[in-house]
Amino acid sequence: MMRAMTAILYPVAENADAALSRPQGRAARMREAERLAGQPVAFATEPVGPAFTTREAALDAYGGRLEDERPGRAAPAPEDRYCRLTETLAGRARPVAVTPAFAGGRRWPEPSAQPLRTVWRLEISYWRLAAATSGVEAPQARRARKRRRAAGLAPETLRTMAGQPLRPVEPQQPLDIGLFEARLPEAPHIVVPDE
């Protein structure tokens, strides 16, 4: 018996909160989402809602929206699987780089007794309206990271920069000649095969 393949119907909305609570509609493909929204859309995946200290607490809060392997829990329909749980670091704490110790027959030092604290967040994938992001103009990430104040950039700014298309720093130069090609001495603008 053949079952019909089901595509995920992603919400169409201005932001992640609206996608979770009051989307304009749902669509599987960009064409359908643009027709529904009446404007260009872009696919986005963003965290939404509060942070939970345990996975079980997050699964209880978003019952029916997530796949829950615990007995007696209902799983969402295949077309409704646009949400997932992710584990992230709590706060702005970052792991500290460790240098090799090479002491006492060990390469690495003993791990610290205090592990990093993590939280669970709901992450939603949706079609974001292009009008919601078109007014944001951030510098290119490759230029911004070279500045002295790059360490103090906010996470929202970094996400905006990462979502922008790359723009050329300077016009593209003409391609160089190949390994088996040579320029004619009497006409350096002409490249011919070299035997």
Side-chain angles (χ1 to χ4, degrees):
M1 181 173 144
M2 295 278 296
R3 284 183 21 187
M5 198 166 157
T6 307
I8 297 174
L9 298 175
Y10 296 101
V12 179
E14 292 179 357
N15 56 38
D17 291 324
L20 191 62
S21 60
R22 55 189 187 292
Q24 293 182 1
R26 293 178 47 195
R29 292 176 180 75
M30 181 182 272
R31 236 173 315 145
E32 299 166 7
E34 287 177 344
R35 195 174 318 121
L36 187 66
Q39 61 180 299
V41 296
F43 192 75
T45 301
E46 298 175 5
V48 65
F52 296 92
T53 56
T54 64
R55 184 173 189 271
E56 289 72 26
L59 288 171
D60 290 339
Y62 296 110
R65 290 192 183 265
L66 299 165
E67 291 186 50
D68 193 349
E69 64 279 349
R70 299 180 293 182
R73 304 294 175 144
E79 64 270 6
D80 294 336
R81 296 179 185 214
Y82 52 87
C83 293
R84 68 180 183 157
L85 279 180
T86 57
E87 188 176 17
T88 59
L89 290 173
R92 296 187 181 261
R94 295 275 179 224
V96 178
V98 179
T99 56
F102 300 113
R106 295 181 55 97
R107 179 176 181 180
W108 299 104
E110 291 292 328
S112 65
Q114 186 68 12
L116 295 174
R117 194 171 70 84
T118 59
V119 293
W120 292 87
R121 299 268 325 255
L122 181 72
E123 200 170 72
I124 184 168
S125 298
Y126 68 102
W127 297 108
R128 180 176 51 216
L129 304 181
T133 59
S134 62
V136 179
E137 184 64 30
Q140 289 284 298
R142 61 183 167 199
R143 287 189 179 216
R145 69 185 169 141
K146 293 178 182 176
R147 295 184 184 143
R148 292 179 190 242
R149 59 179 185 234
L153 290 174
E156 296 82 26
T157 306
L158 291 175
R159 259 187 244 109
T160 302
M161 289 190 313
Q164 286 185 345
L166 289 176
R167 294 186 302 267
V169 177
E170 59 188 31
Q172 182 176 351
Q173 299 299 312
L175 297 175
D176 199 3
I177 63 172
L179 182 62
F180 299 105
E181 296 175 332
R183 295 186 186 275
L184 291 176
E186 62 275 1
H189 64 283
I190 297 176
V191 178
V192 295
D194 187 18
E195 298 198 33

